[in-house]
Amino acid sequence: MKKLSAASKAYLVLVFAVLYAPILYLIFYSFNSGGNMNNFESFTLEHYQAVFDDSRLIVILINTVIVALLSGLIATVIGTLGAIGIVSIKDKKMRNTLLSLNNVLIVSPDVVIGASFLILFTMIGVKLGFASVLVSHVAFSVPIVVLMVLPKLLEMNTSLIDAARDLGATKRDVLTRVILPYISPGIFAGFFMALTYSLDDFAVTFFVTGNGFSTLSVEIYSMARAGISLTVNAISGLVFAITVLVVIGYYFINQRTKSAMAEGQR
């Protein structure tokens, strides 16, 4: 691999500094005993303690994680099957049309998606709450999963499927023993992307959440509107730490999958 020049390295450092500086600034003051973000007086964990002492916040955090995990799992199943279905379509025009429709959903503004679901749920009489948030999160996560799985399907050598069929494998065997193991890195990537999008989504959730149910992003927004509180910093710091752990977990799972595939090909 070609080494980066000094200018390229400096540019990368500058970009990452701009991206991470606000987050690190916010987390730094979450340990401030002064109660504001102007002067750092002394180190304290009281704001984190306040988060864990607030049972309502803990319930909201649990709701957020449950919605993210469920929507990620459901979207991964639907998106993976959808990607396999799109690739299996012989009509090139139809396939491109479906891919374009999938991409339109990805680039659509969250405000439009949230307002659309709000109108839909209101029209069909669905009560806003856990179910409406879950369905909305699944809906905007499925196109992401499709986009992550498709490259693995397209790079897959179809002779593997033909060989499996020649050896007597049924359609189910081909799917579970050939296709899914091969595209598993894309499936994992799709799941983690869906999980992340669900965790940090605000705009869509803001439209479809009802009284008595909230997620962390909506709650943080409400708390921030009420005034500056370092509890918000503490919650944001916890979410950032969880996100980093998820990324590290995804990295090790991805590395293990690649190693298993490399050993299988030897």
Side-chain angles (χ1 to χ4, degrees):
M1 183 180 292
K2 187 178 179 180
K3 290 185 177 180
L4 294 175
S5 64
S8 298
K9 291 179 180 177
Y11 176 74
L12 284 176
V13 170
L14 178 63
V15 169
F16 279 104
V18 171
L19 291 174
Y20 279 91
I23 300 174
L24 297 178
Y25 177 78
L26 180 143
I27 295 175
F28 175 72
Y29 276 98
S30 69
F31 300 104
N32 182 19
S33 63
N36 59 62
M37 294 181 66
N38 298 322
N39 298 310
F40 191 91
E41 294 185 1
S42 61
F43 179 85
T44 181
L45 291 174
E46 64 181 72
H47 305 298
Y48 288 90
Q49 185 65 42
V51 172
F52 290 106
D53 288 342
D54 191 336
S55 58
R56 183 171 173 274
L57 274 179
I58 298 300
V59 170
I60 290 173
L61 180 62
I62 293 172
N63 287 341
T64 306
V65 173
I66 290 174
V67 169
L69 286 174
L70 278 179
S71 64
L73 286 171
I74 297 171
T76 301
V77 174
I78 298 174
T80 302
L81 295 177
I84 294 172
I86 290 174
V87 170
S88 65
I89 294 175
K90 302 298 181 185
D91 188 342
K92 191 175 180 180
K93 189 176 180 180
M94 176 63 75
R95 184 195 297 183
N96 291 334
T97 302
L98 291 175
L99 287 175
S100 299
L101 291 173
N102 185 75
N103 294 336
V104 167
L105 287 174
I106 291 177
V107 299
S108 295
D110 287 348
V111 174
V112 175
I113 296 175
S116 303
F117 274 108
L118 175 61
I119 295 169
L120 174 66
F121 292 139
T122 304
M123 286 177 60
I124 61 178
V126 174
K127 186 179 179 182
L128 299 182
F130 173 79
S132 60
V133 173
L134 179 63
V135 170
S136 304
H137 283 216
V138 170
F140 69 68
S141 298
V142 168
I144 299 166
V145 176
V146 171
L147 205 62
M148 300 302 291
V149 175
L150 267 178
K152 295 299 297 181
L153 283 169
L154 294 175
E155 75 176 26
M156 184 177 179
N157 192 340
T158 55
S159 60
L160 291 174
I161 299 175
D162 296 334
R165 286 174 178 165
D166 291 342
L167 293 172
T170 62
K171 289 183 178 180
R172 182 177 179 179
D173 292 332
V174 171
L175 177 64
T176 58
R177 298 188 179 186
V178 180
I179 297 178
L180 290 182
Y182 188 87
I183 65 174
S184 57
I187 295 174
F188 280 120
F191 171 73
F192 281 107
M193 287 295 291
L195 185 73
T196 306
Y197 269 69
S198 175
L199 282 174
D200 68 3
D201 176 72
F202 168 74
V204 176
T205 309
F206 186 75
F207 279 94
V208 297
T209 189
N211 293 330
F213 184 84
S214 182
T215 62
L216 205 54
S217 58
V218 177
E219 183 63 20
I220 290 176
Y221 174 73
S222 301
M223 292 172 67
R225 288 190 65 187
I228 296 175
S229 169
L230 295 189
T231 306
V232 176
N233 296 40
I235 297 174
S236 303
L238 289 172
V239 173
F240 181 74
I242 293 171
T243 305
V244 171
L245 290 176
V246 169
V247 172
I248 293 173
Y250 166 70
Y251 172 78
F252 281 109
I253 291 174
N254 199 30
Q255 289 297 112
R256 181 176 293 182
T257 304
K258 286 182 178 177
S259 300
M261 291 182 65
E263 289 179 2
Q265 292 175 352
R266 288 175 184 172

